[in-house]
Every structure is written in C-alpha cells, then in structure tokens.
C-alpha cells in the first residue's frame, strides 16, 4: 500500500517536474496552477468561499481544452480565462512568445490639449488653469517611474493651486502603480487625519524576492529602500505565513497644515481605475473638500501588490497578488469598485466631463 501511494505521488508530480523540458500548453497550465496555488495571497480565501469541488471541476474542464491546444497565444488566452475563477483584478496571463504579427513601431507624441478626449490620451502628467476659479491636473499613471514627474508638476504649480478655489484631479484610466506616487497630492486635499487600512503579505521564497528587488530599486529614495529591506528580512523569517510587515492594522496620516485653498476638489474617475488609484481614492474620500465624479471604478484592491513571473518555457507571464487587505471581509472592493459621489451618465458627452465637474464645483446647475 505504501509503495502504491508513493508511485502515485511520483506519477502525479512528473508533469510538474518536467514542464521545463516539455514546453506545451499543458505544461504551462501545470506551472501556472502550481505557482498560483503556492504564492497568490487570495488563493485560499476563494477556495474556502467557492469550494474545493468547484475548483476541481473548473480545473478538469480547462485541462481537457488545454490538451488540445498548441503552445501559442490561444493557449495563453485560455489560461487567462482559467485564472478568472479567482477574481478579475491583479491576476492574469500575458503571452510574450513569438508571434507572426508584424508590429509597427510608432513614435509617441503628446496630443494637443484641446478636449477631454485629448487629455485622456496624454501619457504624462500635466497642469493647466481652466478658468480664474479652477485648476486642473491630469495624472494618467501612478507608476513609481512617474513619481518625479508628478511631484515636479505639482511643485511648479503649487502657488497657483493654493490660491485657486477649485481643483480638478483627473485620474481617469489610471490603472495604479505605487502609493508613493500620489503622496504629493495629499497636502492639497488634507482636512483631517487619514486612516489607511493595512495589508498582510503572504511570505514565500518567490514572493519575498520582489520585496528584495524593491529594496534595490533606484527609483525609490534611500530611506524607502532601507524600509523595503527590513520588510524583506521580516518576510524571510516567517515563510508560509501572512505577515503584518507594517506592525499595524491601520496607519494614520496627520499633517500640520490644512490649506484654505483649494476649497473644493473634484476627482474624475472611471471604470479603468484600479489598484493604487483606488487606494488614493480611499484616502481622498476622507477629505471634507473632495467629491468623486464619474463612473464606478474597476475594483481590484483587496488582493494587491502584483508580482510578475515568467514561465520556465519563457513564452508567458503570470500576474498574481502578494498581499490581502485587513478590510476583508467587511469592506470589499475587488470586482465591486468604488462608486462616485456624483455619477456622470451617458447623456453627458465624453468631451464635456471636465466642464460638467467645473460647473458643479462652481455650484452651477442646468
């Protein structure tokens, strides 16, 4: 009996042990499944919620489809469907192998700022004064690589923002990035202490490697890199556990100054906002000055801090989450989103959103 069990265990492990040698759709599936199960911070919560039987049925159904596919983009697409069993945000499969498509490389140019649509197409943050009572900043991305640009444009226009009644912050289509990238916005909207609910990080060798890489990233200042190093050391000492690296379930941000201006702040949001952008909105919503305008956000924040790893075959990347929020289960955001204070319906043209918010902040009504 013991020999039979040993033989079965060895047999079941062979496809996983050999996936690097047998690069096909099935081996990629087995690698994705194993890596996700062992490292994603939200995996066990979903299994507990949906049940092991439902997961087994899901796996069996997809495995039958996968066995019939070559190792190509269609395989990656199917794997991306398989992983949606868990949630929609902070997970995914991206195909990075060779394709037969000829891609045209076009030079990126900034569009002229003539309409809301062109503002949305901008790839870098920019500032403008819309009228005597309204300033506007467009922030298309919160990636850490954009922090210097965001800080710079806010610093250069600080005096104007702090002497103007209304301020519009446009983060539509901003998918997220790093919390550090929105820190320079907080002093403009601050009215009272801001509470930020913390996260637990799931400690594994693969997950902890990302924290080590952050501690060596030159885009962060020395203080931040040293902090990341301490986090890494704490995670490495607690493998297989959910670790409170911040040593606090809630952090409170207190500033010495409440700026008299701007008086009113409107933040433009839409269905393409997720991750760090939603974290920024949770902070901004606590200000007495702020109202959110637009559409419900994407909802991808509960399981967060994405890690990206490449399969041994080298043709796909797996995205998954390293942490889960202390807000769960009391205040879920994943697959739900954050709702605006003022909904912008479809009768308002896309080119007129900013004018709508400007007029609303001025107290004008049709």
């Amino acid at each position: 009996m013991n020999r039979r069990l040993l033989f079965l265990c060895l047999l079941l492990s062979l496809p996983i042990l050999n996936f690097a040698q047998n690069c096909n759709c099935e081996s990629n599936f087995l690698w994705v499944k194993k890596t996700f199960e062992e490292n994603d911070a939200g995996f066990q919560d979903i299994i507990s919620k949906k049940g092991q039987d439902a997961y087994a049925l899901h796996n069996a159904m997809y495995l039958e489809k996968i066995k019939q596919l070559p190792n190509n983009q269609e395989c990656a697409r199917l794997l991306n469907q398989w992983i949606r069993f868990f949630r929609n945000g902070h997970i995914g499969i991206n195909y990075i192998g060779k394709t037969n498509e000829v891609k045209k490389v076009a030079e990126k140019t900034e569009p002229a700022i003539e309409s809301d649509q062109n503002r949305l197409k901008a790839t870098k943050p920019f500032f403008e004064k819309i009228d005597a009572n309204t300033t506007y900043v467009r922030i298309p991305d919160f990636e850490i690589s954009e922090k210097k640009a965001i800080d710079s444009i806010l610093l250069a226009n600080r005096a104007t923002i702090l002497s103007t009644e209304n301020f519009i912050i446009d983060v539509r289509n901003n998918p997220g990035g790093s919390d550090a990238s929105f820190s320079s916005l907080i002093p403009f909207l601050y009215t009272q202490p801001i509470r930020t609910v913390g996260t637990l990080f799931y400690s594994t060798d693969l997950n902890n490697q990302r924290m080590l890489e952050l501690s060596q990233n030159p885009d962060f200042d020395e203080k931040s890199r040293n902090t990341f190093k301490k986090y890494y050391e704490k995670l490495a000492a607690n493998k297989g556990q959910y670790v409170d690296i911040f040593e606090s379930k809630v952090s409170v941000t207190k500033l010495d100054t409440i700026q008299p201006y701007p008086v009113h702040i409107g933040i433009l949001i839409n269905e393409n906002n997720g991750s760090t952008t939603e974290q920024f909105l949770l902070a901004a919503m606590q200000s007495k000055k702020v109202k959110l305008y637009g559409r419900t956000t994407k909802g991808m924040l509960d399981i967060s801090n994405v890690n990206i790893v490449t399969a041994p075959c080298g043709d796909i990347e797996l995205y998954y989450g390293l942490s889960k929020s202390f807000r769960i289960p009391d205040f879920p955001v994943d697959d739900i989103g954050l709702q605006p204070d003022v909904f912008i319906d479809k009768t308002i043209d896309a080119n007129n959103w900013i004018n709508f918010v400007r007029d609303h902040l001025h107290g004008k009504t049709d």
Side-chain angles (χ1 to χ4, degrees), residues 14-16 18-34 63 66-67 69 71 75 79 311-313 315-316:
L14 282 176
I16 298 174
N18 292 331
F19 58 68
Q21 289 76 30
N22 301 316
C23 286
N24 53 45
C25 193
E26 184 177 355
S27 67
N28 266 341
F29 169 70
L30 293 172
W31 175 83
V32 166
K33 180 176 178 293
K34 182 174 187 293
L63 186 56
I66 285 164
K67 285 181 177 180
L69 291 177
N71 198 36
C75 172
L79 293 178
C313 291
D315 57 347
I316 62 169

Side-chain angles (χ1 to χ4, degrees), residues 342-360:
V342 180
F343 172 62
I344 299 181
D345 61 76
K346 292 183 179 180
T347 65
I348 299 172
D349 187 83
N351 282 321
N352 203 37
W353 277 34
I354 292 174
N355 289 335
F356 173 84
V357 175
R358 179 197 62 190
D359 292 346
H360 201 274

Side-chain angles (χ1 to χ4, degrees), residues 200-213:
L200 289 167
F201 280 76
Y202 187 46
S203 175
T204 69
D205 286 333
L206 185 61
N207 293 354
N208 298 346
Q209 180 63 29
R210 179 177 177 273
M211 192 65 75
L212 182 61
E213 290 169 358

Side-chain angles (χ1 to χ4, degrees), residues 266-305:
I267 302 179
L268 270 171
I269 63 174
N270 68 6
E271 62 279 0
N272 296 319
N273 294 138
S275 192
T276 291
T277 306
E278 289 175 313
Q279 189 64 54
F280 164 64
L281 297 176
L282 286 178
M285 288 161 61
Q286 298 177 54
S287 170
K288 296 177 182 178
K289 296 182 177 186
V290 169
K291 281 188 177 181
L292 308 184
Y293 292 80
R295 309 274 173 80
T296 303
T297 62
K298 189 170 187 177
M300 46 180 288
L301 186 62
D302 302 338
I303 307 299
S304 57
N305 289 287

Side-chain angles (χ1 to χ4, degrees), residues 103-323:
K103 294 184 179 180
K104 182 179 178 181
V105 179
E107 182 180 352
K108 287 187 177 181
T109 57
E110 289 294 322
I113 307 305
E114 298 174 351
S115 69
D116 283 13
Q117 291 294 79
N118 284 335
R119 289 182 175 99
L120 282 175
K121 293 176 183 177
T123 59
K124 294 293 180 182
F126 68 86
F127 171 88
E128 62 179 309
K129 190 164 184 178
I130 294 176
D131 60 33
N133 298 309
T134 311
T135 57
Y136 169 92
V137 66
R138 168 74 178 133
I139 303 179
D141 206 318
F142 279 134
E143 281 296 331
I144 188 61
S145 58
E146 297 300 311
K147 176 175 169 54
K148 291 180 181 178
I150 296 169
D151 291 352
S152 177
I153 204 163
L154 290 173
L155 180 61
N157 296 283
R158 183 174 184 274
T160 303
I161 297 171
L162 293 180
S163 60
T164 307
E165 182 178 3
N166 299 319
F167 185 27
I168 297 175
I169 302 172
D170 188 349
V171 295
R172 287 174 293 172
N173 297 340
N174 184 328
S178 169
D179 289 7
S181 295
F182 67 71
S183 61
S184 56
L185 283 166
I186 299 301
F188 295 106
L189 57 84
Y190 181 85
T191 60
Q192 59 202 20
I194 298 172
R195 295 174 62 85
T196 302
V197 179
T199 56
L200 289 167
F201 280 76
Y202 187 46
S203 175
T204 69
D205 286 333
L206 185 61
N207 293 354
N208 298 346
Q209 180 63 29
R210 179 177 177 273
M211 192 65 75
L212 182 61
E213 290 169 358
L214 288 175
S215 73
Q216 301 165 349
N217 188 333
D219 285 330
F220 292 99
D221 57 30
E222 184 177 0
K223 181 180 179 181
S224 296
R225 292 197 301 270
N226 288 336
T227 299
F228 288 136
K229 186 178 180 181
K230 291 178 182 177
Y231 293 160
Y232 167 75
E233 292 170 348
K234 186 170 184 179
L235 287 166
N238 293 277
K239 289 180 185 177
Q241 300 179 42
Y242 286 91
V243 183
D244 180 6
I245 62 174
F246 308 114
E247 299 180 350
S248 174
K249 291 185 178 181
V250 177
S251 63
V252 181
T253 300
K254 294 181 179 180
L255 301 183
D256 296 331
T257 305
I258 299 174
Q259 300 290 350
Y261 285 88
V263 178
H264 307 293
I265 298 175
I267 302 179
L268 270 171
I269 63 174
N270 68 6
E271 62 279 0
N272 296 319
N273 294 138
S275 192
T276 291
T277 306
E278 289 175 313
Q279 189 64 54
F280 164 64
L281 297 176
L282 286 178
M285 288 161 61
Q286 298 177 54
S287 170
K288 296 177 182 178
K289 296 182 177 186
V290 169
K291 281 188 177 181
L292 308 184
Y293 292 80
R295 309 274 173 80
T296 303
T297 62
K298 189 170 187 177
M300 46 180 288
L301 186 62
D302 302 338
I303 307 299
S304 57
N305 289 287
V306 171
N307 197 22
I308 305 173
V309 289
T310 303
C313 291
D315 57 347
I316 62 169
E317 291 177 329
L318 165 65
Y319 296 70
Y320 68 91
L322 300 171
S323 65

Side-chain angles (χ1 to χ4, degrees), residues 52-107:
Q52 188 64 48
D53 289 344
Y55 182 48
L57 183 62
H58 179 73
N59 290 334
M61 180 178 68
Y62 272 87
L63 186 56
E64 283 302 310
K65 296 179 182 180
I66 285 164
K67 285 181 177 180
Q68 302 172 23
L69 291 177
N71 198 36
N72 57 14
Q73 287 175 295
E74 180 63 17
C75 172
R77 185 190 67 80
L78 201 62
L79 293 178
N80 198 46
Q81 290 179 357
W82 170 83
I83 209 168
R84 300 300 159 184
F85 175 86
F86 298 95
R87 58 185 183 275
N88 288 318
H90 287 153
I91 52 173
I93 304 295
N94 184 36
Y95 183 76
I96 57 174
K98 293 181 180 179
T99 70
N100 295 323
E101 297 177 3
V102 177
K103 294 184 179 180
K104 182 179 178 181
V105 179
E107 182 180 352

